[in-house]
Amino acid sequence: MIGKEEFWDDIKNELSKTMQTISYDMWIEPLEPVCFVDGTFVLAAKTAISKKTIERSYLDQIRDVASSLDSFVTDVEIIVKEQEGEYLKKQSISLPDRGLIVDEKSAKKQEKKTNPFLEKYTFDTFVQGKSNEFALAAAKTVAENPGGKYNPLFIYSGVGLGKTHLLHAIGNFLFKHSPKTKVVYANSENMVNELINVIRGGNNDDSNRFREKYRACDVLMIDDIQFLSGKNSMQEAFFHIFNDLYQSNKQIIITSDRAPKDLPTLEERLRTRFSWGLMVDIQPPDTETRIAILKMKAAHEKFMLSDEVAEFIADNATTNIRDMEGLLNKIIFFSSLANKVIDTKELAYEALRDFIDEKKETLDAETIISTVCRYFSITTTDIFSKKRTKNIVEPRMIAIYLITELLSMPLMSIGQLFGGRDHTTVIHARDKITEEIKTNPRIKIIVADLKNMLLNR
Ligand code: ADP
Ligand code: MG
């Protein structure tokens, strides 16, 4: 990997092409590169206020550019310049969501342990609703009694629905109530990178250290296990760690973007093990819960959120809480920037107009299906039918893929639309076309053509 200065220069160069000059000069230029911690690139802002603004409004963009320049970099973090020294000292502890939290060194230094979990993600800040109550209850039980009856605990849901939040809540709870418990949090993507390095290095010490690190814990959390799909050596390593921990009654908690049975390239023996414990899913929250979440986040920011604006935001982000928070943050940012109260739907719309992708909103499943049918010269009756000939199956899969890509429609409803097929069929079609795009130039072109037709109507 190149040095932090050069890397930051490259990022700035990219950002300057897309950002407005004023914002670029004001927020980006003064940042200074600090270091890389695992896959996280750390930058220092001059003041806490600029840190906050950058996090609210530019972090996503910086992160996207950083990972497009170097796929090893999965996250970007902003710290305040003043705290740089302290931060660098703490570096032996990796940060949440980007790899291991407790390594052997820090585990030994338990007396001086700092809480590595994000403090804002607790059970108290997790709003309970019908869609998540089982997952929340299971997480609480596990936090109170790790290694007890729900082992392993497997939590699955779409993106941005609170899985990582719940893992941190368990971590925070244990840190407070049972500080001796050794908790290891790993993001499976980072775990994979780590193991690849171990294998490449071919060094036995490294490989032992890797195993020890994961085995010497009371609670092991693996976030986003789907990244292990198809990675056989990694699954093998994980399988052994899993068995060791399980046999000694250590708690294992796993999250994934789908149920184990829908992880097609996950080894059967792992899938079987996951089903030994408890599996819970989190559904997208209903309007009431979304509004409650918004109110809580706004109160936390000391922002007066009117009912009207809360409703407006909740209506515009229905399937991903992270996106919904993004909209709220933009409202907060605009009202502080313009020093103006945004308390009606109209004002909220004005502030968010650029972010609510209108094309996406007006695009619907019918349009996608009819466009695909036209493209392949088949009828809509054919595409909805049970016919399994190639000339029908391929357009059907592509249509399903495009719907999952371009709309935020629940997988089950997509299945229903296509003649009552279940959501596994939808996942299969989506994954198949995703794969084909990488390996089959013809499909790649077809999908690009169709996307072009749909998004530039
Ligand atoms: P996932 O890991 O499932 O992709 P996260 O745990 O990262 O999702 O959640 C995304 C964001 O949504 C976080 O900021 C989290 O705090 C918030 N969030 C999700 N569900 C809830 C909830 N029930 N109450 C409060 N905040 C939530
Ligand atoms: Mg997550």
Side-chain angles (χ1 to χ4, degrees):
M1 186 182 282
I2 59 169
K4 57 180 182 179
E5 259 89 21
E6 270 171 276
F7 186 56
W8 177 231
D9 284 343
D10 290 347
I11 296 177
K12 281 200 290 189
N13 187 23
E14 284 304 309
L15 289 172
S16 66
K17 289 182 199 159
T18 51
M19 284 180 65
Q20 283 185 337
T21 320
I22 298 185
S23 343
Y24 176 85
D25 287 347
M26 191 152 158
W27 306 112
I28 305 297
E29 193 54 52
L31 287 171
E32 287 173 26
V34 178
C35 61
F36 293 100
V37 181
D38 293 340
T40 301
F41 183 50
V42 185
L43 292 163
K46 291 227 155 54
T47 62
I49 295 177
S50 50
K51 165 178 147 78
K52 216 165 175 194
T53 309
I54 294 159
E55 283 173 342
R56 252 185 221 151
S57 306
Y58 305 107
L59 191 57
D60 286 348
Q61 219 176 327
I62 304 176
R63 193 183 287 132
D64 287 350
V65 172
S67 45
S68 71
L69 290 171
D70 185 334
S71 58
F72 179 77
V73 175
T74 50
D75 204 355
V76 171
E77 185 173 339
I78 314 285
I79 60 171
V80 179
K81 178 83 185 152
E82 236 174 41
Q83 289 153 1
E84 188 176 331
E86 197 189 328
Y87 183 90
L88 289 170
K89 260 191 252 154
K90 274 200 221 144
Q91 237 201 76
S92 59
I93 303 174
S94 315
L95 289 161
D97 229 349
R98 293 139 213 147
L100 280 177
I101 281 192
V102 182
D103 57 21
E104 315 93 298
K105 258 191 269 148
S106 50
K108 276 185 201 133
K109 282 194 268 162
Q110 293 277 319
E111 323 84 61
K112 271 179 70 191
K113 198 162 117 177
T114 40
N115 182 2
F117 291 96
L118 290 177
E119 275 161 30
K120 61 177 179 172
Y121 291 163
T122 62
F123 288 127
D124 289 341
T125 58
F126 192 86
V127 175
Q128 181 176 349
K130 275 204 185 61
S131 59
N132 61 33
E133 60 191 0
F134 290 116
L136 176 61
K140 280 186 174 164
T141 306
V142 161
E144 279 160 15
N145 182 17
K149 57 180 175 172
Y150 299 151
N151 200 18
L153 172 62
F154 191 103
I155 305 173
Y156 64 98
S157 80
V159 234
L161 292 179
K163 298 181 293 295
T164 301
H165 186 136
L166 283 179
L167 292 184
H168 282 258
I170 297 171
N172 278 314
F173 183 93
L174 288 168
F175 183 83
K176 190 163 163 203
H177 298 283
S178 165
K180 288 222 167 68
T181 307
K182 273 186 232 152
V183 185
V184 169
Y185 169 104
N187 176 312
S188 79
E189 207 175 2
N190 287 66
M191 207 169 156
V192 170
N193 288 336
E194 208 180 351
L195 190 74
I196 290 171
N197 288 335
V198 169
I199 293 169
R200 262 200 217 129
N203 180 333
N204 261 343
D205 281 357
D206 283 353
S207 134
N208 289 340
R209 214 175 304 139
F210 176 84
R211 217 168 303 137
E212 282 314 306
K213 195 142 73 167
Y214 287 96
R215 284 181 186 175
C217 65
D218 304 309
V219 177
L220 175 63
M221 303 175 174
I222 306 280
D223 206 358
D224 290 325
I225 193 99
Q226 70 272 8
F227 291 114
L228 287 197
S229 264
K231 306 207 170 64
N232 294 340
S233 56
M234 190 66 220
Q235 292 189 21
E236 172 79 22
F238 180 63
F239 182 73
H240 292 297
I241 295 167
F242 183 102
N243 284 344
D244 281 1
L245 290 174
Y246 186 81
Q247 271 155 19
S248 35
N249 291 324
K250 306 296 171 120
Q251 179 70 46
I252 301 152
I253 311 165
I254 296 155
T255 75
S256 166
D257 69 348
R258 57 198 109 156
K261 68 175 171 35
D262 299 327
L263 287 162
T265 52
L266 196 69
E267 284 182 35
E268 192 49 43
R269 55 180 186 167
L270 270 178
R271 246 181 292 184
T272 311
R273 286 205 170 22
F274 294 162
S275 61
W276 287 352
L278 178 70
M279 280 187 251
V280 279
D281 69 338
I282 307 177
Q283 292 295 323
D286 53 26
T287 313
E288 204 182 307
T289 312
R290 293 203 299 281
I291 290 178
I293 294 173
L294 282 168
K295 294 230 151 136
M296 193 197 62
K297 306 256 169 189
H300 189 254
E301 298 285 331
K302 302 196 171 44
F303 179 79
M304 291 288 294
L305 178 68
S306 72
D307 289 347
E308 209 177 314
V309 174
E311 246 170 63
F312 179 81
I313 299 175
D315 283 347
N316 277 290
T318 52
T319 53
N320 180 332
I321 308 289
R322 192 177 299 119
D323 288 353
M324 188 175 79
E325 277 179 34
L327 295 180
L328 173 66
N329 286 339
K330 274 160 193 137
I331 294 276
I332 297 178
F333 174 65
F334 280 121
S335 52
S336 68
L337 194 71
N339 207 356
K340 139 174 159 183
V341 183
I342 299 182
D343 57 356
T344 64
K345 270 196 170 71
E346 290 70 30
L347 290 169
Y349 176 69
E350 207 173 293
L352 298 177
R353 192 164 37 197
D354 294 346
F355 303 100
I356 301 172
D357 190 346
E358 289 175 69
K359 276 275 156 40
K360 252 192 194 164
E361 293 299 312
T362 55
L363 189 61
D364 56 23
E366 278 74 1
T367 314
I368 295 179
I369 293 166
S370 62
T371 310
V372 171
C373 288
R374 243 188 307 128
Y375 189 91
F376 286 98
S377 310
I378 60 170
T379 64
T380 43
T381 319
D382 280 335
I383 208 166
F384 291 136
S385 72
K386 302 260 177 244
K387 281 189 196 159
R388 306 197 49 85
T389 47
K390 185 164 189 278
N391 68 325
I392 306 294
V393 170
E394 195 176 75
R396 187 184 294 138
M397 285 195 176
I398 291 177
I400 293 177
Y401 167 84
L402 287 168
I403 294 174
T404 61
E405 264 273 272
L406 302 175
L407 307 179
S408 41
M409 192 167 167
L411 298 180
M412 230 150 65
S413 322
I414 304 178
Q416 251 138 39
L417 198 63
F418 284 84
R421 289 172 161 88
D422 72 3
H423 69 289
T424 47
T425 317
V426 176
I427 290 170
H428 173 71
R430 180 189 67 189
D431 290 354
K432 170 99 176 119
I433 299 300
T434 310
E435 235 0 82
E436 291 271 340
I437 290 171
K438 288 187 208 143
T439 52
N440 181 341
R442 187 180 61 90
I443 298 286
K444 185 176 169 185
I445 293 169
I446 293 175
V447 170
D449 270 357
L450 281 164
K451 269 196 185 171
N452 204 8
M453 287 162 71
L454 291 164
L455 297 175
N456 300 312
R457 282 170 299 146

